[in-house]
C-alpha cells in the first residue's frame, strides 16, 4: 500500500471535467485506488464517489493505492492534480 497527500489547487476543485480526467487517469492502473477526505474514502475510479466528496479548491486529499502499480498510480494522479489538470 502506498499513499500521498496532495492539495487540490485548480479553480473548480475536483468537480465535473477535472473529476472526469482524474477518473480516466485512475482507470489506467490495475491497483485499487482510493481518495480520502476527512475520514471518508471513495473509489478513485468512481465519478459518483469522487463528486460525493465535494472536493473544492484548497482541499487536501490523501491518495491511497494498493496493487502492482500503486506507486506509479499515486504519482500520476498527484502530477495530474498539481498540473491543474492540464497535459
Amino acid at each position: 500500500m502506498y499513499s500521498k497527500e496532495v492539495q487540490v489547487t485548480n479553480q473548480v476543485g475536483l468537480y465535473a471535467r477535472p473529476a472526469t480526467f482524474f477518473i480516466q487517469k485512475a482507470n489506467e492502473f490495475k491497483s485499487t485506488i482510493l481518495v480520502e477526505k476527512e475520514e471518508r474514502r471513495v473509489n478513485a475510479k468512481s465519478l459518483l464517489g469522487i463528486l460525493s466528496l465535494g472536493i473544492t479548491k484548497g482541499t487536501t486529499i490523501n491518495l491511497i493505492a494498493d496493487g502492482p502499480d500503486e506507486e506509479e498510480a499515486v504519482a500520476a494522479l498527484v502530477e495530474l492534480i498539481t498540473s491543474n489538470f492540464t497535459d
Side-chain angles (χ1 to χ4, degrees):
M1 187 172 292
Y2 183 77
S3 68
K4 185 165 184 158
E5 281 193 349
V6 62
Q7 185 176 41
V8 178
T9 58
N10 66 308
Q11 199 60 40
V12 297
L14 206 49
Y15 184 73
R17 216 168 161 189
T20 302
F21 293 147
F22 183 86
I23 292 157
Q24 287 171 344
K25 181 59 75 177
N27 276 303
E28 293 176 12
F29 299 95
K30 292 179 180 162
S31 294
T32 300
I33 308 168
L34 301 173
V35 177
E36 182 179 59
K37 175 191 169 200
E38 299 169 356
E39 306 301 316
R40 281 196 60 216
R41 287 184 178 181
V42 299
N43 184 342
K45 300 176 183 181
S46 163
L47 181 60
L48 198 54
I50 296 295
L51 295 178
S52 75
L53 290 178
I55 298 168
T56 57
K57 181 178 181 178
T59 301
T60 299
I61 58 174
N62 192 25
L63 302 176
I64 306 158
D66 188 24
D69 50 6
E70 58 193 28
E71 290 189 33
E72 295 89 345
V74 169
L77 292 170
V78 167
E79 185 178 331
L80 180 66
I81 292 169
T82 58
S83 73
N84 289 331
F85 300 89
T86 57
D87 288 334

